[in-house]
Amino acid sequence: MIDLHAHTTASDGSDTPAELIANAVAAGLHTLAITDHDTTGGWDEAAAAVAQLEVPFALIRGTEFSCISDGEQGRISLHLLGYLFDPDAEALKAERARLRRSRLGRGEAIVDNLVAAGYPISWQQVLDIAGGGAVGRPHIGQALLQAGVVDSVTDAFAHLLSSSSPYYVPKLEMPVEVAIQLIRQAGGVPVIAHPWARRRDRILDEAALRGLVPSGLLGIEVDHLDHAPDDRARLAELAAELGLFTTGSSDYHGTRKSVRLGSDTTSPQSLERLLSLASGIEVLHSPASGHGR
Ligand code: AMP
Ligand code: FE
Ligand code: FE
Ligand code: ZN
């Protein structure tokens, strides 16, 4: 089984990168992508864990970039997965740092709003929960959970943390066309993440999705928990028409979301396409994979 989207403590997941690898093996996966928000911070620990495995396993290193589309529909926030790009490519590296930095001021502003409304949490508590990883709303949700304000992080998102909440503050995002180009320049493969996750926020319409192809988009994440069956079918048709490959993934976040590793998966054919399009860095194989490394 192939799962191409998972988070760790390097961003808003609850597994350390080593725990993620162990859990992926336990879940029966043989190929996993680590895709933390706006960071490559979990890559080295995940790679070290894969180097110790006694079963065949392939690690694809990636990042989920915070992006914005500003077209005919107005401003829409979206996520773009980048796989196997060179982490030392300067322009993209600088953008990741900028995005992470903005998450700090923005997270603190959301916490300030919640504190002003009487919710018993603090910014230091959120920083401690994030533990040096890219800070996100799920960490604030965890603080609200610890304070007994909500019953789960998902509950916190229903009102207090949603983008329509009075406490919400937007974060910095990259124009998606720029992100696509920078990932391609770094030898990576850009795939749009859960484009039709309708219950989260406003989504790109078909015309806007088509418009990303000339920028260099290569794939669409079709099978995802937040996609309805008819949307999955339509996205798959659209991908075929546009010559894009499709993926399926869990978007696992450990205990911060209820979804399990491998709940949606990617076909071997799509994985092959992805690998054939990448030139930034190598897939990492465990010693037991028989790749002679
Ligand atoms: P942020 O990156 O700080 O804007 O927070 C967005 C992140 O929150 C997403 O990447 C998801 O991991 C998480 N998220 C979004 N909606 C929900 C939800 N309804 N329940 C739990 N986590 C969510
Ligand atoms: Fe997340
Ligand atoms: Fe996402
Ligand atoms: Zn994700």
Side-chain angles (χ1 to χ4, degrees):
M1 285 203 298
I2 302 162
D3 188 341
L4 294 182
H5 186 163
H7 296 266
T8 75
T9 49
S11 67
D12 57 6
S14 64
D15 287 3
T16 64
E19 287 166 347
L20 172 68
I21 300 304
N23 285 330
V25 171
L29 298 176
H30 63 73
T31 302
L32 175 79
I34 178 173
T35 55
D36 279 301
H37 296 287
D38 304 325
T39 185
T40 60
W43 286 13
D44 290 351
E45 185 184 324
V50 168
Q52 301 296 320
L53 288 178
E54 289 171 1
V55 294
F57 195 86
L59 175 69
I60 295 181
R61 290 166 289 175
T63 293
E64 185 175 22
F65 291 91
S66 304
C67 296
I68 186 102
S69 159
D70 202 356
E72 286 180 10
Q73 294 176 271
R75 289 172 71 84
I76 292 186
S77 293
L78 58 93
H79 290 167
L80 183 73
L81 293 157
Y83 296 107
L84 298 172
F85 59 84
D86 174 2
D88 295 323
E90 277 306 327
L92 189 57
K93 189 176 183 180
E95 281 300 317
R96 285 195 301 278
R98 208 165 70 96
L99 294 170
R100 287 197 303 275
R101 221 176 305 117
S102 107
R103 284 174 168 277
L104 291 170
R106 175 270 199 155
E108 187 168 14
I110 294 176
V111 170
D112 283 349
N113 290 344
L114 287 164
V115 168
Y119 293 99
I121 60 170
S122 74
W123 177 235
Q124 187 56 51
Q125 180 191 6
V126 172
L127 285 177
D128 290 345
I129 291 167
V135 179
R137 281 179 284 165
H139 299 121
I140 305 173
Q142 183 90 37
L144 290 163
L145 179 65
Q146 285 177 2
V149 173
V150 294
D151 290 330
S152 68
V153 174
T154 304
D155 263 8
F157 269 89
H159 301 289
L160 297 176
L161 296 178
S162 91
S163 58
S164 51
S165 155
Y167 313 115
Y168 182 74
V169 178
K171 62 182 182 296
L172 184 77
E173 297 163 320
M174 291 173 84
V176 60
E177 297 82 2
V178 174
I180 289 171
Q181 285 157 12
L182 290 181
I183 291 167
R184 292 292 297 271
Q185 280 169 24
V189 180
V191 173
I192 189 155
H194 46 75
W196 286 356
R198 298 179 191 274
R199 60 193 167 88
R200 284 200 198 181
D201 223 325
R202 291 175 59 227
I203 56 161
L204 290 185
D205 62 20
E206 261 190 46
L209 265 181
R210 286 173 195 279
L212 298 179
V213 178
S215 297
L217 185 70
L218 294 173
I220 301 180
E221 187 178 62
V222 169
D223 290 313
H224 184 282
L225 179 72
D226 293 349
H227 285 167
D230 53 334
D231 280 337
R232 296 183 188 209
R234 181 60 201 143
L235 282 170
E237 278 177 12
L238 196 60
E241 182 199 321
L242 298 171
L244 305 178
F245 69 87
T246 63
T247 67
S249 327
S250 63
D251 200 354
Y252 174 77
H253 280 69
T255 59
R256 299 225 173 90
K257 260 190 200 173
S258 54
V259 70
R260 289 192 305 210
L261 279 163
S263 65
D264 275 295
T265 56
T266 296
S267 71
Q269 293 75 21
S270 285
L271 177 64
E272 223 166 279
R273 267 288 283 293
L274 190 163
L275 299 183
S276 73
L277 292 163
S279 61
I281 54 171
E282 300 281 316
V283 178
L284 296 179
H285 295 278
S286 63
S289 302
H291 285 260
R293 39 182 295 170

